[in-house]
Amino acid sequence: MQPAAGPVGSPALRLTVLVGEQDVWHHRPLYAEIVHRARAAGLAGASAFRGVEGFGATSLIHTQRLLSLSEELPVAVIVVDTEERVRAFLPQLTELLAGGGLVTLDPCEVLAFRSRPGTAAGGEGTTG
């Protein structure tokens, strides 16, 4: 028997937005505003990741270690979609990042592993 072929990759663009945990947009965390706007824009997906340690333009180390007084941890919001859809979203970031932030764009390849109908994430069949 021949092994099943893996998913076919497709080109994409990865957008990473680096902001501070305490950054806000109209009383809402900035990272949450970016994720919600990405969803409203119809992008394929967005996730926010809280950093455990980092520094930015001020060179001040921010860390979650117990003895640290810093509560301004870094947050990375990552969006992956086609290049044209990601680039169409960039003007919204211009507005949101007027107070500061860093954006990187990286070409990548997307391999989508989707579950088949009737299977759970672990591969076991389900009945409902």
Side-chain angles (χ1 to χ4, degrees), residues 12-102:
L13 192 64
R14 179 178 52 229
L15 164 75
T16 303
V17 183
L18 300 169
V19 296
E21 182 178 34
Q22 302 297 319
D23 294 344
V24 295
W25 176 260
H26 296 278
H27 309 290
R28 178 185 212 171
L30 180 56
Y31 61 85
E33 183 67 21
I34 295 168
V35 169
H36 285 262
R37 285 195 185 198
R39 183 175 184 263
L43 294 171
S47 297
F49 299 93
R50 184 177 187 224
V52 296
E53 188 165 85
F55 71 92
T58 65
S59 294
L60 179 65
I61 297 282
H62 302 285
T63 181
Q64 72 173 12
R65 283 184 265 158
L66 186 60
L67 299 176
S68 172
L69 299 176
S70 174
E71 294 181 8
E72 178 69 353
L73 292 171
V75 175
V77 180
I78 299 176
V79 176
V80 177
D81 206 323
T82 64
E83 181 172 358
E84 50 194 40
R85 292 174 63 112
V86 169
R87 289 195 183 276
F89 183 65
L90 291 177
Q92 292 198 51
L93 293 179
T94 301
E95 175 188 14
L96 293 173
L97 299 177
L102 179 72

